[in-house]
Amino acid sequence: MRVGWAFTGAGHLLLESVEELEKLALNHEVTVLLSKAGEEVLKMYGLYDRVKNVTGGYYRELAREKDQEFSFPITGRLSMGRYDLFIVSPTTSNTIAKIVHGIADTLVTNAVAQAGKGKIKTLIVPVDLEAGDVETVLPSKLERDKCEDCQTCKSAAACPKDAIIPGLEIDLLKCSGCGACQIACPFGAVSGGKIITIYMRQLDVENTHKLTHLEGVSILRNPSHIQDNL
């Protein structure tokens, strides 16, 4: 089976999505599409290399939005029906809002539109499915209340990407999620995998429900349900 899998810039359900992608790539040809935000977030969470490692070869490409320019030529395969399935997981509320309003000006939203034109079954795993509170995992974070503002910051010295601003914060656009900073800090001032609670806006939930009106699109609650929908 030929499958297209797109990542957007959501941190929620990201690890679960990568794990399901790895399983799928064992037995199927998978082309991975990364939005600009999706690429950034995968790196923040230290998951980019795991995604990259499942790619390599024809119909196993890693297609990054920043390399596809504005015409997104790789999505032409979808309009021509060259894939058996297209997956977007996890899917941000911004991406869903564009999809349900017919906007196709990004790599991922254009791919969804082209999949519809090619009559390719599309599975979408949204992060905003129901109103209310949901727990999600943060990337690396500098805990200011634990930071001792050392004259020489061991975390900054250990960071291969110079992403640590001593005593202030972590520049997540530079962070690769390697965890070296967490290991280096003797005071535990750098956290990783911290769980926080966020609130799902009713507007985003309503847009997600509108996906049910799109022909050929199915909504899944969790990436673990993908295998049951192949």
Side-chain angles (χ1 to χ4, degrees), residues 140-170:
S140 296
K141 181 180 183 297
L142 179 61
E143 304 290 348
R144 295 284 299 277
D145 59 329
K146 294 182 180 180
C147 179
E148 294 293 329
D149 200 19
C150 303
Q151 185 173 1
T152 300
C153 177
K154 292 185 178 180
S155 289
C159 179
K161 301 293 184 179
D162 293 325
I164 307 292
I165 304 174
L168 293 177
E169 63 181 356
I170 299 175

Side-chain angles (χ1 to χ4, degrees), residues 46 103 174:
I103 300 172
K174 293 181 179 180

Side-chain angles (χ1 to χ4, degrees), residues 6 33 72 74-76 78-79 86 88 104 106-117 120 122:
L33 282 67
F72 315 117
I74 199 164
T75 65
L78 293 161
S79 61
F86 186 60
V88 188
T106 66
L107 175 60
V108 177
T109 57
N110 189 271
V112 172
Q114 299 308 316
K117 294 177 181 179
I120 295 173
T122 299

Side-chain angles (χ1 to χ4, degrees), residues 118-138:
K119 294 185 177 181
I120 295 173
K121 179 181 178 181
T122 299
L123 306 178
I124 294 180
V125 180
V127 295
D128 298 288
L129 188 57
E130 295 181 349
D133 295 337
V134 65
E135 290 186 342
T136 190
V137 180
L138 292 177

Side-chain angles (χ1 to χ4, degrees), residues 174-213:
K174 293 181 179 180
C175 179
S176 63
C178 67
C181 55
Q182 298 173 41
I183 297 171
C185 180
F187 303 103
V190 182
S191 64
K194 184 176 182 179
I195 297 175
I196 64 167
T197 300
I198 58 175
Y199 180 76
M200 299 302 173
R201 302 188 307 168
Q202 185 62 36
L203 172 64
D204 298 326
V205 173
E206 290 174 0
N207 281 333
T208 297
H209 290 169
K210 291 177 183 177
L211 288 172
T212 59
H213 300 299

Side-chain angles (χ1 to χ4, degrees), residues 32-131:
V32 178
L33 282 67
L34 299 184
S35 72
K36 291 178 181 179
E39 180 178 350
E40 290 175 356
V41 172
L42 281 166
K43 290 178 179 178
M44 291 176 194
Y45 283 82
L47 296 170
Y48 178 80
D49 286 342
R50 287 178 61 173
V51 171
K52 184 178 180 181
N53 287 341
V54 306
T55 64
Y58 197 46
Y59 281 97
R60 292 181 180 271
E61 293 93 343
L62 178 66
R64 305 183 302 172
E65 184 167 22
K66 63 185 181 183
D67 296 328
Q68 288 287 306
E69 299 295 340
F70 293 104
S71 59
F72 315 117
I74 199 164
T75 65
R77 294 181 184 174
L78 293 161
S79 61
M80 291 186 285
R82 293 183 179 177
Y83 290 88
D84 302 295
L85 179 67
F86 186 60
I87 301 166
V88 188
S89 178
T91 316
T92 61
S93 58
N94 181 61
T95 297
I96 288 175
K98 288 189 172 187
I99 291 171
V100 298
H101 288 91
I103 300 172
D105 62 350
T106 66
L107 175 60
V108 177
T109 57
N110 189 271
V112 172
Q114 299 308 316
K117 294 177 181 179
K119 294 185 177 181
I120 295 173
K121 179 181 178 181
T122 299
L123 306 178
I124 294 180
V125 180
V127 295
D128 298 288
L129 188 57
E130 295 181 349

